[in-house]
Amino acid sequence: MDFRFYEIWREAEYVSRLLEGILTSVWLTVLAAVIGFSLSIGLALLRRSRQHSVLSWCAAIYIELVRNTPLIVQLFFVAFGLPMLFGYRWPFEASALLALSLNFSAYYAEIVRAGLDNIDQGQIDAYNALALSKARAFFLIVIPQAIAKVYPSLVSQFVFLFLTTGIISELGIEELTWSGRFIADRTFRDFEVFLVLTLIYVLLALA
C-alpha cells in the first residue's frame, strides 16, 4: 500500500486547520467541563437531599435521562429542538457547549455524589465542633476531600468526553475531527489522515 503522509503537510492550510481544530476541541471540552462540574455539585447535593424529595427526584430523572441517551441525540436536541421550542437561534458552537456541559454535569454528578457519600462522619463532627457554617465547611472541608477521593474518575470522564467531541463535527463545527475530514476530502488520503488524527487524540488524552 502506498502511504502518502506528506499529503497532510504539503499545504499550510491543512496544518492550520489541524491546529485550529485542536484548539477548538480543547477549549470546548475544558469550558464544558468547568460548567458541567459546577452544575454537578448542585445536582449531587439535590440527589442526596432528604428534605426536598421532589427536587431530589427531578435531579435523579435528569441524570438518568442524560446518562441513558446518546450524546449526538442530546446535541441535535439542543441545536435544533430547543430553538424550535423557544424561538431563539444560537451559534452552533454555543449549542455544542451547552450539550457538552449538560452531558458532563450528569456524569460528574454521580461521581461527585459517590465522593460525598464516602466522607468520613468524623469530618462532619469536626466542623460541627468548630462551629463552622455549613457553607464554609462544605467548600473548605467536604468538597476538597470528596474530589480527592474521586479524582481518577473525574479525569477519566473528562478524557472520555474529550474523545467524543468529534461528534460535534456533525454540526459543522471546525474541531479536530472536522479538520481531518476537511483534509481527507481534498487529498483522498483517508487512511493517513485518520491515523494522524488517532495519534493526535491519543497524545492529547495522555496529556
Side-chain angles (χ1 to χ4, degrees):
M1 187 173 181
D2 182 22
F3 296 110
R4 301 183 190 176
F5 288 97
Y6 65 85
E7 294 278 359
I8 303 173
W9 323 114
R10 67 184 175 86
E11 296 287 344
E13 180 187 9
Y14 297 163
V15 177
S16 177
R17 292 278 185 180
L18 281 177
L19 293 176
E20 290 174 2
I22 291 172
L23 289 175
T24 300
S25 293
V26 169
W27 80 256
L28 275 173
T29 305
V30 171
L31 191 53
V34 171
I35 297 172
F37 181 72
S38 301
L39 294 173
S40 72
I41 295 176
L43 289 169
L45 290 176
L46 288 176
R47 287 281 283 120
R48 298 177 77 247
S49 174
R50 297 178 181 178
Q51 298 177 347
H52 306 286
S53 58
V54 175
L55 293 178
S56 179
W57 273 102
C58 289
I61 291 171
Y62 166 80
I63 290 170
E64 292 303 317
L65 184 64
V66 172
R67 281 161 51 93
N68 290 286
T69 53
L71 176 57
I72 192 166
V73 173
Q74 299 165 22
L75 179 66
F76 285 166
F77 177 76
V78 171
F80 303 113
L82 291 184
M84 293 177 63
L85 290 175
F86 298 106
Y88 72 86
R89 179 64 62 185
W90 279 4
F92 281 143
E93 287 82 0
S95 296
L97 177 60
L98 177 58
L100 290 173
S101 299
L102 295 177
N103 195 280
F104 265 113
S105 69
Y107 284 95
Y108 272 9
E110 289 298 279
I111 296 173
V112 171
R113 184 167 70 95
L116 293 174
D117 288 341
N118 283 307
I119 295 296
D120 190 88
Q121 182 62 36
Q123 298 293 322
I124 299 173
D125 295 337
Y127 75 70
N128 285 332
L130 293 171
L132 292 175
S133 67
K134 288 187 177 181
R136 290 191 64 192
F138 181 75
F139 287 105
L140 296 179
I141 298 175
V142 176
I143 276 293
Q145 292 188 59
I147 293 174
K149 290 178 180 293
V150 297
Y151 180 74
S153 297
L154 290 174
V155 173
S156 296
Q157 192 61 44
F158 175 82
V159 172
F160 175 75
L161 263 297
F162 166 70
L163 295 177
T164 60
T165 55
I167 291 175
I168 66 177
S169 64
E170 297 298 323
L171 295 181
I173 297 173
E174 300 179 12
E175 46 73 66
L176 184 54
T177 299
W178 184 95
S179 301
R181 291 165 62 181
F182 176 88
I183 298 170
D185 289 345
R186 284 155 181 77
T187 61
F188 302 104
R189 310 305 301 182
D190 296 63
F191 180 83
E192 291 91 329
V193 169
F194 284 100
L195 181 58
V196 169
L197 283 188
T198 299
L199 293 175
I200 292 174
Y201 274 114
V202 169
L203 291 174
L204 290 172
L206 291 175

